[in-house]
Structures are given as structure tokens and as C-alpha cells.
Amino acid sequence: MRKEDCIFCKIANGEIPSKTLYEDDMFRVILDLGPATKGHALILPKEHAANLYELPEETAAAAMVVAKKMAQKMKEKLHCDGLNLVQNNGETAGQTVMHFHLHVIPRYNNDGQHILWNPGTSTQEELEAVRKEITE
Ligand code: 5GP
Ligand code: ZN
């Protein structure tokens, strides 16, 4: 279903024009308006889901297949040196548009972007406590 006031619903379904790289029954892939690097793209499902929690499993699986197609394309056409898939859920995690989207970000040597995190430290005991918290 589409959500009335959702900009990515409108873009995904072609009501607002976008620089489309790929389209099928389930998805539209567009260029990000504020690209981190050349070729930064967004994979948008045509059906509204606010985030990964709401996304149907079938759509989640299909999104990764589209991501793989796009990664291949970026490598072939843009000759990127690397590529990040980024997917933010919730304001705390940096989500600004509340319609699920998967970022495909081609990376180039010395592109000046910092998409990785600062590694922390942990003990085996701490890891075990977290493992238990998640799985039990
Ligand atoms: P988020 O921070 O929610 O993971 O990512 C939202 C992304 O959508 C941002 O990278 C932003 O540049 C992009 N964006 C926001 N509005 C528009 C728009 O109207 N058109 C396009 N093509 N990208 C948009
Ligand atoms: Zn939407």
C-alpha cells in the first residue's frame, strides 16, 4: 500500500520524477539527491514500509538481489574501488525518510567519506552476556 504523504512512495511509483537507474514490479532504484559519492543510489520498494521491521520478508530478500545487480553495474560502469550497502532504521540510526530504503554507495580511493564506525573493545564475558541477551 502507498502512504499518502510519503515522498518515497510518490517517487517509487513514478508520481514524482527521479533519476531512475532500474525499475521492476517491486522496486525503483534512484540516484540520491545528496550523494555521498558519485553513483550513490537508493533502492525503494514500491509498497510502503517505514523500516526493516515493517518490511515483508519477501521484499527484504528481493532487495538484496537488486542490491547485487546495482553493485555489479556500479563496478562495471563507474569503476568504483569498493561499495557500501547502508540501511538506516530510526532517527537514532540516521534515518531521515521513513520509507524503507537501501543505500548503495560506490566508494572510490580517497573519496573522503567516513561510512565506517569506530571499533570498540569487549571481553569474552561481555560478548557472552550479549549473546545470551539476544538469543535467550
Ligand atoms: P536516510 O538518512 O533516511 O537513510 O536517507 C535518506 C536519503 O534520501 C538521503 O541520503 C537523502 O539525500 C535522500 N533524499 C531525501 N529526499 C530525497 C528526494 O526527494 N529525492 C532523492 N533522490 N533523494 C532524496
Ligand atoms: Zn512510503
Side-chain angles (χ1 to χ4, degrees):
M1 235 183 56
R2 294 184 210 177
K3 196 158 172 271
E4 247 340 284
D5 57 349
C6 174
I7 185 156
F8 279 5
C9 276
K10 292 193 172 89
I11 292 174
N13 291 283
E15 289 163 40
I16 294 177
S18 62
K19 298 296 182 199
T20 297
L21 304 177
Y22 172 86
E23 187 183 2
D24 63 23
D25 289 352
M26 278 176 119
F27 300 99
R28 183 185 295 270
V29 182
I30 64 168
L31 285 176
D32 193 298
L33 210 53
T37 62
K38 180 181 172 187
H40 181 169
L42 301 172
I43 300 175
L44 309 179
K46 291 184 176 180
E47 293 282 310
H48 182 84
N51 48 42
L52 187 62
Y53 309 112
E54 287 187 7
L55 195 70
E57 281 191 4
E58 189 194 356
T59 314
M64 193 52 77
V65 176
V66 174
K68 182 171 168 55
K69 282 189 212 299
M70 297 316 300
Q72 205 69 42
K73 200 79 165 161
M74 302 297 185
K75 194 162 181 276
E76 271 171 38
K77 302 285 186 171
L78 299 180
H79 310 289
C80 55
D81 301 304
L83 183 131
N84 293 112
L85 294 181
V86 177
Q87 200 278 304
N88 301 325
N89 296 283
E91 275 179 41
T92 304
Q95 186 178 11
T96 58
V97 181
M98 300 301 157
H99 174 123
F100 174 93
H101 49 282
L102 180 54
H103 294 260
V104 180
I105 308 176
R107 299 300 302 277
Y108 306 92
N109 293 333
N110 306 312
D111 63 19
Q113 287 294 347
H114 302 282
I115 293 167
L116 302 178
W117 55 90
N118 298 320
T121 55
S122 65
T123 63
Q124 284 301 311
E125 291 71 26
E126 285 165 344
L127 293 180
E128 179 58 11
V130 176
R131 188 194 68 76
K132 278 191 174 152
E133 198 172 341
I134 295 169
T135 59
E136 290 177 5

